[in-house]
Amino acid sequence: NLVAHVENALRSGLAAKEKKVAFATAPKTGEEHMSFYSTQNAIKVVTGADKYKAIKAAIADLHEDYRENAKIMMTFADYSEIIETLANGNATLYTAQPEQILGKPVVFCDSAVKPIVGDFSYSHFNYDLNVMYERDKDIKTGVEQFVLTAWFDHRIKLKSAFRIAEVAAPAPAPEETPTV
């Protein structure tokens, strides 16, 4: 059971690495094409007065072919902020499903620093070879070493199938001219 447990932990680590690469705000050199937030992918940013309105505007901005299968990838903290604002003391809103509130299924991901709306079937992780699980024993220390080796690439197949929802910066207050 120990080997199976360690291999499951290694798979979890690989999934964490996939998220880290796909949602990197400052991708490493050579990984720019793998991030939703990369300027290389140039995914359209849709703004709104608050996160709720930005997400709704992003959903509306998607072409109907992508809107039908769209999901929202966002942090739970962002969703909680939206619920708190919308609820305004109404406890019944807290029991509603995220899909009922935002109109599309929601996937919570702490790495999604800005909500991403889109048809995630156009986001693909490709693996070059089979994932390799290897183990070895250090004869001097008696410690078993477990290693996972995977070569993956994340491709956003169609950038028009995605939108990034962002809160618009507030307009600067007009300068007052002194009256004499």
Side-chain angles (χ1 to χ4, degrees):
N1 285 343
L2 177 63
V3 172
H5 178 75
V6 170
E7 286 182 356
N8 283 335
L10 288 172
R11 275 191 286 278
S12 294
L14 179 59
K17 175 69 175 173
E18 288 175 353
K19 281 184 184 178
K20 183 178 177 183
V21 169
F23 297 103
T25 53
K28 293 179 182 177
T29 303
E31 294 181 354
E32 295 91 351
H33 67 281
M34 293 194 242
S35 174
F36 285 104
Y37 301 120
S38 172
T39 55
Q40 183 176 336
N41 286 324
I43 293 175
K44 185 176 180 182
V45 175
V46 178
T47 59
D50 56 33
K51 283 194 175 115
Y52 177 74
K53 290 180 181 169
I55 290 169
K56 295 301 256 184
I59 293 168
D61 193 65
L62 281 173
H63 188 274
E64 64 186 81
D65 293 341
Y66 311 125
R67 191 179 323 127
E68 187 175 322
N69 296 320
K71 291 183 181 175
I72 303 164
M73 185 82 64
M74 65 189 301
T75 65
F76 186 74
D78 285 346
Y79 178 72
S80 296
E81 179 185 317
I82 289 170
I83 291 299
E84 188 174 325
T85 303
L86 292 176
N88 196 23
N90 183 352
T92 58
L93 198 55
Y94 287 96
T95 60
Q97 293 296 315
E99 186 173 354
Q100 293 171 309
I101 306 291
L102 297 172
K104 292 293 174 189
V106 177
V107 178
F108 294 116
C109 175
D110 289 340
S111 301
V113 293
K114 293 178 186 172
I116 298 172
V117 177
D119 185 344
F120 285 89
S121 66
Y122 292 100
S123 167
H124 294 276
F125 280 96
N126 305 306
Y127 287 88
D128 288 342
L129 305 170
N130 290 334
V131 175
M132 296 182 346
Y133 296 92
E134 300 172 286
R135 60 188 259 204
D136 193 17
K137 182 175 183 176
D138 186 334
I139 58 170
K140 292 182 182 177
T141 62
V143 175
E144 287 278 340
Q145 297 175 347
F146 294 84
V147 178
L148 174 138
T149 306
W151 298 269
F152 73 88
D153 184 50
H154 176 233
R155 293 285 175 171
I156 297 166
K157 297 290 187 183
L158 193 59
K159 68 180 182 181
S160 60
F162 298 96
R163 298 292 183 268
I164 297 173
E166 187 173 87
V167 176
E175 291 185 33
E176 292 184 29
T177 56
T179 55
V180 182

